[in-house]
Amino acid sequence: MDFAVLAAAIAAGLAALGAGIGVSNIVGSALDGIARQPESRGVLQTTMFIGIGLVEAIPIIAIVIAFIALGR
C-alpha cells in the first residue's frame, strides 16, 4: 500500500470536514443575526455567501496540493 495516497486522502478528507464545520458555523451565525434583526437580511446573506465561498476554497486547494504531492 502506498502511504502517499493514504496521506493525500486523509488530507483531503480533513480539509472537507473542516470546511463543513466552518460552513455550518457561518450559516448558523447568519441565521441568528437574521432572527434578531430581520431588516438586515440582505447584508447578512451577502456576507454569508462570501464567507461560504472563501471557506469552500480550502478543500479545493487541499485536493490540488494532494495531487501535486502525489505527482499525478
Side-chain angles (χ1 to χ4, degrees), residues 33-72:
I34 292 170
R36 290 180 185 171
Q37 293 182 336
E39 66 275 3
S40 65
R41 177 180 177 253
V43 175
L44 288 173
Q45 193 172 18
T46 302
T47 306
M48 178 188 72
F49 284 132
I50 292 171
I52 288 172
L54 292 173
V55 169
E56 285 296 322
I58 294 170
I60 295 170
I61 294 169
I63 290 172
V64 169
I65 290 172
F67 280 140
I68 290 171
L70 288 174
R72 296 181 183 181

